[in-house]
């Protein structure tokens, strides 16, 4: 099984090289926007890379000083963004034609070379060498796990520039082949339900409240609103710093939840962790904000890369009806969920916390996917006590009380 991980690395860049990188980024963004303009005529969107290559490659090379691979990467980024926009249009959603403004540029093995503690990067005026700024040698970090691991191969990177701090970072992409035999052999699934009131709930009855996330989001919103009243450049810069502080706090919080989720799966001897499909999750979830959608995706990413070292497989499943289906008898009805928190099956009378019931259904959905296709990796969904198998049989009776208020609640 192929595993891919991205490791962010801060860079130490001289002033002259920083000027070259900023100019390279600007020309890369201009190239990507040029391809978008060429692809969209107001009615039709051209998304074939071969066609856009013929139409734009020569013009972009004439307009810029970019390396040929940068030109191709800019075209690919433009096409990917256009495909995402068109997909939203097909689902009846509003979406504007993409415009690239965030400072970044793509690198691959042809226009960059990656070494132990530094990288050589192509710019609009030749190559430069940038040094990595790394954490302590004795710390267990993604750098030691993936970037400097003999098992992981570096495939490319995205260079990002943070204007507020005048700071460059390289998000290095790596991959490795993991032997499937190293995965846990018991074949059990830990189901995870995501929500606004509770960020995450597992099929084993673990709850992580969303109160702290919502509290600090409101606090940072108040600070931004207060600063916006001043309207000065200093206030604008302060608002950006507040946003970065907010993101850092939330990322740390999500890292802790991810660690707990992986630890729970490990302690319960699970082989898989199942999340609901995150596509359009904000539209499906009452009360969800942009913050929540971002948090869910970031949590999934953290769990996915942390799970590798524990031999765990992380999947997403179709979330349809997981909140309305009874995890005990399978009866599905809207009336099964009379309130946001409670679940009361209208068929068998099973009652429990709605999020806990949904978490079991998420795990069960992966179980159905695996066994229904003749697979056979997972053989049960891990519950608070016992396990649910593909036929809905619980070898050890599940506690009806478990999860009503959250067993071993977190955060």
């Amino acid at each position: 099984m192929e595993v891919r991980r991205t490791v962010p690395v801060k860079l130490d860049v001289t002033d002259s090289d920083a000027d070259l990188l900023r100019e390279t980024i600007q020309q890369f963004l201009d190239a990507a926007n040029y391809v978008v303009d060429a692809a969209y005529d107001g009615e039709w969107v051209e998304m074939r890379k071969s066609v856009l290559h013929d139409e734009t490659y020569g013009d972009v090379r004439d307009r810029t000083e970019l390396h040929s691979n940068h030109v191709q990467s800019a075209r690919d980024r433009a096409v990917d963004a256009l495909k995402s926009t068109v997909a939203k249009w097909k689902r009846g959603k509003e979406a504007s034609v993409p415009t690239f403004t965030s400072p970044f540029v793509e690198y691959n093995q042809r226009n960059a070379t990656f070494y132990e503690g530094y990288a050589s990067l192509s710019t609009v005026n030749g190559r430069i060498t940038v040094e990595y700024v790394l954490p302590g040698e004795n710390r267990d970090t993604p750098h030691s796990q993936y970037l400097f691991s003999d098992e992981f191969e570096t495939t490319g990177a995205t260079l990002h520039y943070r204007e507020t701090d005048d700071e460059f970072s390289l998000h290095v992409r790596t991959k490795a082949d993991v032997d499937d035999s190293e995965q846990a052999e018991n074949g059990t699934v830990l189901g995870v339900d995501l929500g606004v009131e509770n960020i995450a709930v597992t099929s084993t009855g673990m709850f992580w409240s969303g109160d702290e996330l919502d509290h600090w989001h409101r606090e940072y919103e108040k600070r931004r609103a207060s600063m916006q009243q001043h309207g000065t450049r200093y206030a604008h810069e302060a608002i950006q710093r507040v946003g970065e502080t907010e993101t850092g706090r939330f990322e740390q919080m999500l890292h802790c939840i991810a660690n707990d989720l992986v630890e729970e799966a490990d302690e319960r001897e699970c082989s898989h962790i199942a999340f609901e499909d995150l596509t359009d999750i904000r539209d499906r979830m009452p009360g969800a904000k942009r913050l929540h959608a971002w948090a869910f995706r970031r949590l999934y990413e953290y769990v996915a890369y942390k799970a590798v070292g524990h031999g765990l497989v992380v999947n997403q499943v179709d979330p349809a009806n997981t909140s309305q289906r009874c995890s005990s008898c399978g009866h599905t009805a809207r009336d099964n969920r009379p309130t946001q928190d409670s679940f009361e099956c209208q068929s068998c009378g099973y009652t429990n916390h709605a999020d806990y019931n949904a978490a079991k259904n998420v795990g069960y959905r992966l179980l159905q996917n695996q066994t229904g296709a003749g697979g056979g990796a997972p053989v049960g969904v891990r519950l608070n006590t016992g396990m649910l198998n593909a036929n809905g049989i619980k070898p050890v009776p599940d506690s009806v009380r478990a999860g009503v208020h959250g067993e071993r609640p977190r955060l």
Side-chain angles (χ1 to χ4, degrees):
M1 179 184 68
E2 184 176 88
V3 175
R4 294 177 179 269
R5 295 291 174 263
T6 300
V7 183
V9 184
K10 291 184 179 180
L11 302 179
D12 184 8
V13 183
T14 65
D15 291 342
S16 58
D17 288 344
D19 291 338
L20 287 175
L21 289 178
R22 281 189 286 265
E23 181 60 28
T24 303
I25 289 173
Q26 186 57 55
Q27 293 194 24
F28 182 85
L29 298 180
D30 290 343
N33 288 324
Y34 181 83
V35 175
V36 170
D37 291 340
Y40 181 61
D41 63 4
E43 296 182 0
W44 170 260
V45 180
E46 177 59 69
M47 294 184 291
R48 291 172 294 178
K49 291 182 180 180
S50 58
V51 174
L52 288 174
H53 176 83
D54 293 339
E55 292 183 357
T56 64
Y57 181 80
D59 291 341
V60 174
R61 289 303 303 270
D62 291 340
R63 291 163 56 94
T64 69
E65 303 165 285
L66 293 173
H67 188 281
S68 60
N69 288 104
H70 278 148
V71 175
Q72 296 174 26
S73 294
R75 178 205 63 213
D76 293 346
R77 271 300 191 109
V79 171
D80 290 342
L82 286 166
K83 287 181 177 179
S84 177
T85 298
V86 170
K88 291 179 181 178
W89 289 346
K90 289 181 177 179
R91 295 196 300 270
K93 298 184 179 298
E94 293 185 3
S96 58
V97 177
T99 300
F100 294 91
T101 58
S102 179
F104 79 99
V105 60
E106 293 289 353
Y107 282 94
N108 54 37
Q109 297 286 13
R110 294 184 179 87
N111 51 21
T113 307
F114 305 94
Y115 299 95
E116 187 74 15
Y118 63 96
S120 172
L121 306 176
S122 292
T123 70
V124 292
N125 187 22
R127 285 208 173 206
I128 63 171
T129 298
V130 292
E131 301 285 341
Y132 295 163
V133 179
L134 301 170
E137 296 181 2
N138 296 326
R139 295 180 57 187
D140 184 18
T141 66
H143 306 85
S144 60
Q145 292 177 334
Y146 310 119
L147 188 60
F148 303 135
S149 170
D150 293 335
E151 298 179 359
F152 280 80
E153 171 192 356
T154 299
T155 60
T158 304
L159 177 73
H160 292 272
Y161 175 58
R162 181 180 292 180
E163 295 178 277
T164 54
D165 298 329
D166 192 22
E167 183 178 276
F168 293 91
S169 63
L170 203 59
H171 291 209
V172 184
R173 296 183 292 275
T174 66
K175 69 176 183 178
D177 289 326
V178 178
D179 189 353
D180 288 339
S181 63
E182 296 179 3
Q183 305 297 332
E185 297 179 357
N186 62 301
T188 54
V189 181
L190 181 73
V192 181
D193 179 67
L194 303 173
V196 175
E197 182 177 343
N198 296 299
I199 297 178
V201 178
T202 69
S203 57
T204 56
M206 298 282 287
F207 282 60
W208 288 265
S209 173
D211 289 348
E212 186 175 352
L213 182 78
D214 292 336
H215 166 75
W216 283 110
H217 180 60
R218 290 192 298 270
E219 288 298 313
Y220 286 119
E221 284 290 294
K222 291 178 183 178
R223 295 181 191 180
R224 276 190 286 267
S226 176
M227 294 173 184
Q228 285 175 343
Q229 295 178 358
H230 297 285
T232 63
R233 179 178 179 180
Y234 174 79
H236 176 71
E237 293 175 350
I239 290 173
Q240 290 182 308
R241 289 195 296 271
V242 168
E244 292 165 6
T245 302
E246 179 184 24
T247 299
R249 176 184 288 274
F250 292 158
E251 286 180 339
Q252 183 180 10
M253 183 188 308
L254 295 170
H255 266 296
C256 292
I257 299 175
N259 287 334
D260 287 343
L261 282 169
V262 172
E263 180 181 350
E264 176 71 0
D266 207 20
E267 290 180 353
R268 300 286 187 146
E269 298 181 345
C270 294
S271 59
H272 291 64
I273 301 177
F275 284 80
E276 57 186 294
D277 190 336
L278 301 180
T279 304
D280 296 331
I281 190 170
R282 185 182 173 194
D283 297 332
R284 301 194 310 266
M285 191 174 294
K289 302 177 182 178
R290 187 186 300 272
L291 167 68
H292 294 100
W294 170 84
F296 298 148
R297 290 186 174 86
R298 189 58 61 92
L299 177 61
Y300 174 81
E301 292 170 358
Y302 289 164
V303 171
Y305 86 71
K306 293 174 186 290
V308 174
H310 295 261
L312 295 166
V313 178
V314 183
N315 300 94
Q316 294 186 28
V317 300
D318 184 358
N321 298 322
T322 51
S323 64
Q324 300 176 10
R325 177 186 182 276
C326 176
S327 60
S328 180
C329 73
H331 176 68
T332 303
R334 184 183 297 273
D335 292 340
N336 283 351
R337 192 167 184 173
T339 68
Q340 185 66 24
D341 295 338
S342 62
F343 184 91
E344 301 175 9
C345 181
Q346 303 303 301
S347 178
C348 72
Y350 172 78
T351 61
N352 215 311
H353 193 288
D355 294 341
Y356 176 54
N357 177 75
K360 292 193 287 184
N361 284 326
V362 170
Y364 185 75
R365 185 62 52 81
L366 177 61
L367 182 64
Q368 287 180 311
N369 293 347
Q370 295 283 344
T371 57
V379 297
V381 178
R382 185 64 68 188
L383 307 178
N384 180 56
T385 57
M387 190 166 62
L388 183 73
N389 65 25
N391 298 317
I393 301 172
K394 297 180 284 293
V396 179
D398 180 34
S399 170
V400 174
R401 296 186 303 275
V404 173
H405 300 293
E407 177 170 318
R408 289 193 290 165
R410 302 295 180 91
L411 292 182

